[in-house]
Amino acid sequence: MSPHEPGHTVAGIPLQALVAELRSRCEAVSRFQGGSTSYHEELGIFRAHAEEAGILLVEAPVELNQPPDEEGNEHQVWYRPEAKCVIKATWPDFFGMLVVHRPHEEPKASPIAYLERWHLHNELFGDEVAFLGAFQTDVGLRLLIRQPAIAGTPASDAEIDSFFSDSGWRRFVVDGNTAYFDPDRQIVVSDTHRGNIILMDDGLLAPIDLRVQPIGGALLDTINRLCGKDEG
């Protein structure tokens, strides 16, 4: 990948290959040290690969020079109706939150976990999120994505629960928030509130901004216990 032309929104970077490379580097570090990579180690792994691969933008895309159309807990958002998409930029040095985490583990998602989230979002829900690159500001690193715009209205709580439960997802509650667990894929999702799932004109539901996280090891026992507690 070559460095991007400054001042312009860049072409999307395929998430699948990027996440595979980053996770491979994390696994290499884990094997060497005999334990899972920490938040700060993954931040370092991402920065090193971003510099090597040329996915650090020299200048901010044009969107960041304009006031955002919307702001949330994780992103600033710019709507591009002519392109039928939105541009999202993470807040500086903040890449969202994990759905679940081990005791004494950092609850914040690393840049690698953030990109894996969107790769899984594409895979699970038929989304077409593309990574646009990373940008270093005076107050921290920001990641940028492009996502197709979805027209519709917020789904009801009952529709959301049916959307997941009818497909085999198991409901649980973590930190007071409703989440769902796919036991076959060993994936959990959260942030499943009405604003993040759209009822489209064709009657289908489209998740647009869920937290998605693969889990394994001891966390599986924790999730199964939480699912059983919710069902009971």
Side-chain angles (χ1 to χ4, degrees), residues 5 14 19 42-44 103 117 159 184 186 189 196 209-210 216:
E5 183 180 355
V19 169
E42 292 194 7
L43 180 60
R117 157 192 174 173
E159 288 168 333
D184 294 328
Q186 297 185 352
V189 300
N196 279 343
D209 201 354
L210 304 187

Side-chain angles (χ1 to χ4, degrees), residues 91-103:
W91 291 102
D93 280 347
F94 181 68
F95 315 103
M97 304 293 290
L98 297 173
V99 179
V100 292
H101 59 90
R102 299 173 183 83

